[in-house]
Amino acid sequence: MAKINSIRSKYFNEGKRIVEIARETGTDVKTVKKYILKDDFNTQPPQTKKTVKSKLDPFKEEIDCWLEQDKLERRKQRHTALRVFKRLQEKHGSSFDCSYRLVAAYVAQKRKELYGQNKEFYFALEHKPGEAQVDFGEADFLENGVRCHGYTLNVSFPYSNGGYLQLFKGENQQCLMEGLMNVFNHIGGVPNRIWFDNASSMVSKILKEGDRILSEHFLRFKNHYGFEAVFCNPQSGNEKGSVESKVGYHRRNLLVPVPEISDLMAFNKELLARCDHDMERPHYSKPGMIRERFEEDRTKLLTLARSKYDESILLAVRTDAHAKFTLEKGRHTYSSAPQYAKTEIWARLTAHEVIVMDRDYKEIITHPRLYGQMKRESMNWIPYLTQLSRRPAALKYTGIYGLFPSPLQEFLEQSDRSSKKETLKILAELSEDTGFLSAVEAFLAALERGAKDSDSVLAIFRRLSTESFEFSPVLLPSDIPELPPLKNKALDYDLFLGRSSQS
């Protein structure tokens, strides 16, 4: 356009002849004349390619249907171009006269439309059924009277505006995966595409071109369930606005007042049921109920994997002289058992537990998983009781001594070394059977009943912990004659034994 403008300026403003302009600009005379005479400079729309009819046209709608359905299936069970070609031959016989090459070209073109070529995606104004968005929020709760700072995993289905909520003490990889699996199992399927933010639990690194290096554990999880993972641009929470809104909605409607919980996993099951009930309300902008539109979401879900994914991670840890080890850069300390002091063992981490195992993967003990930035310790003294029964003199200098109530402390102080050993041994045995607190309560009950030795304590504990049975009295028939009471006479025994009363 700049060249056209220069030619017209030379002619109309400078009065130069067409031949001069052609020589100065190096343009053909006919072209110069055309630009001078041109009087319409409107932008013309690009010409569309003429549609060429193909022998495959009558079958394209059928092929499209098969390929659309493939999006709900696992990759290894999707149509290949050859399978599409053979199905058309089997179904239509001689009326299908297209070549395999023609079918393969169309299948390849259609797959580009369905799956796209770019790794980056953006949100459309209209959301498709079966797609979900995921994000964490924050919410407090009371667990057995203790206030906890928690995190909510929110799963939103933008098409229907349905959503589900799970509550955890952290927002790590195990919490993410357990929460998603709980939702998958509850709704009976897997969203075909899920939008995430760029949390470190999933994304190891964002590259300059926008590509992402995903963590190996998340890649395994993604491939296990077969969904497509889509990530928002950094600092662009608006790209998943549906779940951003759902975070606040769930907190206001399902977690107010602050919930009081005794079992977090049981509470999460309850939350799923409450989220089902929450869908029994009108959609904010579409006709009908959220529940009705969510049923359309269900029809587009991927089938569940045959096996459950193990979301835990296995770490090799080194214990110190006290048989303890630390996680989270030294913030959280966990105990094992005395025989594993200064050795390397395994720690399996789930969303809720730290399972301590020996080198042969045999479980030693299980701790509740600790969360937060403060230094904390989870100490289970039960494995240490057996060791203490061999060295009772060390009892007063361990943390377990302070856990004993005063009557039990007094009983141990008054006992000799042998009695202490036996008492601690019985405590260890009872703790393995019924738990540490139950064992201590049994000892207290035995002491209240006057027990002075470990055998009596154990006997009373067995009596208290054994279920007692009450039997109904036996009623005799009325026709049985009443027998006189039997009176014992010592003289009869003397006569029977051949002895006289004087001897």
Side-chain angles (χ1 to χ4, degrees), residues 119-122 193-197 228-232:
K119 295 181 181 178
E120 293 294 330
F121 293 86
Y122 53 89
R193 181 181 291 177
I194 306 178
W195 272 265
F196 299 92
D197 57 17
E228 179 185 356
V230 185
F231 294 91
C232 299

Side-chain angles (χ1 to χ4, degrees), residues 110-227:
K110 189 63 183 178
R111 279 186 176 148
K112 288 181 181 179
E113 296 176 11
L114 292 175
Y115 298 102
Q117 294 300 299
N118 298 322
K119 295 181 181 178
E120 293 294 330
F121 293 86
Y122 53 89
F123 288 95
L125 293 177
E126 292 294 330
H127 299 282
K128 296 180 181 179
E131 298 181 357
Q133 299 174 4
V134 173
D135 199 9
F136 273 102
E138 298 183 45
D140 289 351
F141 62 96
L142 295 172
E143 184 180 40
N144 298 315
V146 179
R147 194 175 189 90
C148 300
H149 179 70
Y151 295 87
T152 59
L153 179 73
N154 302 267
V155 181
S156 173
F157 292 84
Y159 176 80
S160 62
N161 197 36
Y164 288 93
L165 169 70
Q166 294 286 272
L167 184 61
F168 296 96
K169 293 182 180 178
E171 52 178 343
N172 54 36
Q173 204 170 64
Q174 289 70 54
C175 297
L176 170 72
M177 293 178 183
E178 181 179 311
L180 286 176
M181 288 190 291
N182 289 346
V183 174
F184 295 166
N185 292 328
H186 182 74
I187 65 178
V190 180
N192 55 70
R193 181 181 291 177
I194 306 178
W195 272 265
F196 299 92
D197 57 17
N198 294 282
S200 59
S201 57
M202 297 169 285
V203 180
S204 300
K205 187 177 182 181
I206 302 176
L207 305 179
K208 290 182 179 179
E209 298 78 9
D211 291 340
R212 288 161 176 81
I213 298 176
L214 303 183
S215 67
E216 181 179 351
H217 199 11
F218 179 75
L219 279 174
R220 290 180 182 276
F221 176 75
K222 168 186 171 297
N223 289 320
H224 187 87
Y225 286 100
F227 62 85

Side-chain angles (χ1 to χ4, degrees), residues 405-417:
S406 297
L408 183 53
Q409 289 181 3
E410 293 174 5
F411 174 78
L412 289 169
E413 287 176 2
Q414 295 169 6
S415 302
D416 57 22
R417 188 174 187 278

Side-chain angles (χ1 to χ4, degrees), residues 291-304:
R291 163 63 59 194
E292 296 168 359
R293 290 180 66 85
F294 185 69
E295 292 306 317
E296 295 182 54
D297 275 317
R298 281 182 184 272
T299 64
K300 300 297 182 181
L301 297 178
L302 303 173
T303 55
L304 280 169

Side-chain angles (χ1 to χ4, degrees), residues 165 247-257 274 278 281:
L165 169 70
V247 170
Y249 176 85
H250 281 157
R251 185 165 47 230
R252 293 189 301 272
N253 290 274
L254 300 178
L255 300 176
V256 175
R274 291 170 65 183
D278 182 66
R281 56 190 176 91

